[in-house]
Amino acid sequence: MLAALAAMMTLSASAQEGHVKISGFIRNYFTYDSRENVSGTEDLFMYVPKDESISANGTDLNAQSSFRFAALTSRLIVDATGYEYNGFKFTSKIEADFYNGVSGVTGTAVLRLRQAFVTMSKNAGTLKVGQAWHPMAADMPDIFSLNTGAPFGPFSRTPLAQFDYKFSDNFSLTASAIWQMQYTSAGPDGASANYIKYSGTPEIYAGVNYTNGGFIARLGLDMLSIKPRHNNGVDKVSDRITTLTPFAYVQYKADNSFTVKAKTVLAQAGEHVSLNGGYAVSAVSTDGSYSYTPTRNSSTWVSLSYGKKVQAILFGGYVKNFGTTKAVMGAAGVPMGYYFSKNSFNNMNQMFRVTPAVLCNLGKFSYGVEYEVTGVQYGDKSKGMNLEKGLYEEGLHWVTNHRLQGIVKFTF
């Protein structure tokens, strides 16, 4: 059936002087964790280890090991290239996997949209429209873990319209208007795209890119303006929070065997791109509208990769929560409203991850093993928040998860 579908699409594309290619891979993960974590479906996409949960007899209930394996991240990709019209060159991509329909580790994996976009190019300009990688998330470390470095770097595929303009062989500009779908902002109704929907304002990204041989550098600034509440149940309200997030990325490749990459982000909020952040209520006006203050979150990762057939990989990441830009409204150390990432906790103070891995590549077949240690420093919520800083600073303590992961992958 797949061959027939490919033949039909190839014939259709040929009539338009284009070419369609089907590709993808079968991928199995085998994963052991030493404690409970906040993780994505099938617990494969790991964010942070959970804080201690001490029972009446003094036992940490989250110090529980687990194991699972699954092939639901196997992927199917269709690329269309080679179509031209009046000097414009068109390409398109649709990409899906089966990472949906599973709750925890139970259920039936179903097809899920990852990317679906079209590009139109002429001379030095390229326009991309559709579902694609967020421009701050597109460059990733070389680790094979499904989280690809999150939450130490942005992670989001999202609806966007992106324009790239190449000024020279080395310099280009990227400008994007971005919406939300799967990766969304936090708020009083939980994680939702309604906050950007009622804002009437797309997320805006602008950045400059430099390439020279094996060297790549990017600098960018992301702006998001949302309305956490569009009414208070009686009247319309003028709630709005606008955040600015700068980021930088560098990469160097030598002889296709050694690669070093690094990315750093200073995010205001940032939960909509899977970072450890959010925002809190800072004031209430006479008309019932809220003012908000975002968290400031520094997230940085570095990855090293060496080898071709046998690939040695090392990843290191660090996150620091600096608290909010203004005082949080509340009383007795209890915040009035603190809307944090659904993938983390607002009593997180700092976090690190170290991931060494070895991957063996035998043509289209790959297998490897990866060790991931993630530590988080949490504050004790029972001691209250420092409302001036928007931080839990009392009773600081570390929890650590050890993850051992294997991968078997065949690419076609």
Side-chain angles (χ1 to χ4, degrees):
M1 182 176 178
L2 189 61
L5 179 62
M8 290 172 61
M9 287 190 294
T10 302
L11 287 173
S12 175
S14 296
Q16 299 177 8
E17 299 179 353
H19 174 70
V20 172
K21 176 185 176 182
I22 294 180
S23 61
F25 53 76
I26 308 298
R27 180 169 62 183
N28 277 272
Y29 281 111
F30 305 79
T31 304
Y32 165 85
D33 285 305
S34 66
R35 71 177 289 115
E36 295 281 359
N37 302 290
V38 179
S39 304
T41 305
E42 191 65 19
D43 292 342
L44 295 176
F45 196 114
M46 191 272 202
Y47 288 100
V48 299
K50 292 181 179 179
D51 197 0
E52 295 175 342
S53 177
I54 306 300
S55 67
N57 63 6
T59 301
D60 180 4
L61 299 178
N62 284 330
Q64 172 65 53
S65 63
S66 62
F67 176 78
R68 86 286 304 169
F69 68 88
L72 50 78
T73 63
S74 299
R75 194 172 302 169
L76 185 64
I77 305 167
V78 180
D79 289 289
T81 59
Y83 178 62
E84 296 189 29
Y85 182 80
N86 283 352
F88 289 94
K89 297 181 179 180
F90 294 86
T91 67
S92 65
K93 177 188 288 287
I94 186 164
E95 179 181 272
D97 63 10
F98 303 88
Y99 193 57
N100 199 18
V102 180
S103 178
V105 294
T106 303
T108 300
V110 296
L111 198 65
R112 175 190 71 155
L113 177 70
R114 283 175 54 87
Q115 297 192 82
F117 62 82
V118 60
T119 66
M120 179 176 66
S121 304
K122 188 172 184 180
N123 300 325
T126 299
L127 177 66
K128 177 192 290 183
V129 179
Q131 165 103 349
W133 284 105
H134 192 291
M136 292 197 301
D139 299 296
M140 297 182 177
D142 287 319
I143 56 174
F144 60 75
S145 178
L146 192 63
N147 58 41
T148 58
F152 298 89
F155 188 99
S156 171
R157 292 179 303 274
T158 194
L160 56 75
Q162 179 170 306
F163 182 72
D164 291 276
Y165 187 83
K166 197 169 184 178
F167 292 99
S168 67
D169 291 338
N170 303 115
F171 286 97
S172 64
L173 175 71
T174 299
S176 304
I178 304 166
W179 209 243
Q180 293 183 7
M181 190 180 75
Q182 179 183 357
Y183 300 91
T184 56
S185 297
D189 296 323
S192 174
N194 280 339
Y195 313 127
I196 193 171
K197 168 185 172 181
Y198 289 110
S199 77
T201 306
E203 180 182 354
I204 301 296
Y205 170 86
V208 61
N209 317 293
Y210 175 80
T211 61
N212 189 350
F215 181 77
I216 298 173
R218 307 190 200 282
L219 289 173
L221 181 67
D222 188 75
M223 184 196 76
L224 176 66
S225 186
I226 60 173
K227 293 186 70 173
R229 301 183 310 156
H230 61 282
N231 66 64
N232 60 11
V234 178
D235 301 307
K236 293 181 179 180
V237 292
S238 58
D239 290 27
R240 183 176 290 273
I241 176 173
T242 300
T243 57
L244 296 173
T245 297
F247 102 109
Y249 172 78
V250 292
Q251 171 184 311
Y252 177 71
K253 283 189 176 183
D255 302 324
N256 294 320
S257 60
F258 174 73
T259 304
V260 57
K261 301 177 180 179
K263 183 182 290 187
T264 187
V265 183
L266 183 59
Q268 289 186 335
E271 79 283 358
H272 68 294
V273 286
S274 304
L275 297 175
N276 300 90
Y279 56 94
V281 176
S282 60
V284 178
S285 65
T286 54
D287 67 356
S289 297
Y290 292 170
S291 296
Y292 301 93
T293 176
T295 60
R296 296 161 298 165
N297 180 290
S298 174
S299 304
T300 301
W301 60 256
V302 177
S303 80
L304 304 170
S305 174
Y306 180 77
K308 295 180 181 178
K309 289 187 176 181
V310 178
Q311 191 176 2
I313 302 166
L314 180 63
F315 171 90
Y318 179 73
V319 169
K320 175 61 178 174
N321 179 9
F322 292 107
T324 53
T325 58
K326 297 179 182 178
V328 174
M329 190 172 184
V334 179
M336 173 182 167
Y338 203 143
Y339 312 118
F340 211 75
S341 168
K342 65 180 179 180
N343 303 312
S344 189
F345 305 96
N346 60 18
N347 62 328
M348 187 210 76
N349 194 284
Q350 58 183 323
M351 177 179 175
F352 75 87
R353 177 176 294 162
V354 178
T355 310
V358 177
L359 185 65
C360 297
N361 301 299
L362 307 176
K364 293 181 177 294
F365 181 75
S366 301
Y367 64 94
V369 63
E370 178 179 80
Y371 169 65
E372 179 183 276
V373 56
T374 305
V376 179
Q377 186 186 52
Y378 288 108
D380 187 343
K381 279 198 168 185
S382 68
K383 297 182 182 297
M385 172 185 283
N386 182 333
L387 297 176
E388 290 297 317
K389 296 181 179 179
L391 277 175
Y392 289 93
E393 297 181 305
E394 299 295 323
L396 294 175
H397 57 280
W398 287 90
V399 297
T400 303
N401 179 66
H402 301 272
R403 167 171 283 202
L404 186 62
Q405 185 162 249
I407 186 175
V408 174
K409 179 181 177 183
F410 180 79
T411 304
F412 59 87

